[in-house]
Amino acid sequence: MRRYEKGDSNNVVQAMCNMCGREIKIQNGLVLDGVLSIEYKWGYFSDFDGQTHSFDICQECYKKLEKSFVIPIDKENTNEML
Ligand SMILES: [Zn+2]
């Protein structure tokens, strides 16, 4: 969950993990922690037709979520980071 400065969707003023409610570190409008940030627009044949869902998950909650998967996540190392 993110809150942005009014009129500036690039400037984050607050971010919280949707699973545990932990505040995520923000500095100068940027998210400093590793966060899984999802924004997904559901399609016609889903139960959420036309809805856009967005949420943030902190690293600790992501680890718990990953452990709950029956099939392991595909992982690959990236050498170039932004
Ligand atoms: Zn969390």
Side-chain angles (χ1 to χ4, degrees):
M1 186 280 306
R2 294 176 184 213
R3 288 199 176 98
Y4 298 93
E5 192 168 292
K6 282 184 181 171
D8 186 357
S9 62
N10 291 321
N11 196 9
V12 180
V13 292
Q14 185 185 30
M16 296 170 77
C17 172
N18 283 78
M19 280 184 75
C20 70
R22 186 174 74 85
E23 188 110 16
I24 296 163
K25 288 181 199 163
I26 303 291
Q27 191 174 58
N28 299 324
L30 298 173
V31 176
L32 297 183
D33 274 340
V35 175
L36 174 65
S37 187
I38 299 289
E39 183 175 302
Y40 185 74
K41 184 175 182 178
W42 290 91
Y44 289 123
F45 302 107
S46 73
D47 290 343
F48 311 106
D49 183 14
Q51 294 180 20
T52 298
H53 292 190
S54 57
F55 55 89
D56 292 287
I57 297 179
C58 75
Q59 294 176 81
E60 294 308 312
C61 288
Y62 179 76
K63 290 174 191 171
K64 292 177 196 168
L65 182 67
E66 183 183 8
K67 283 181 185 167
S68 74
F69 288 5
V70 174
I71 299 170
I73 294 172
D74 289 331
K75 296 180 181 181
E76 133 182 356
N77 289 325
T78 303
N79 293 327
E80 288 185 34
M81 302 289 281
L82 289 178

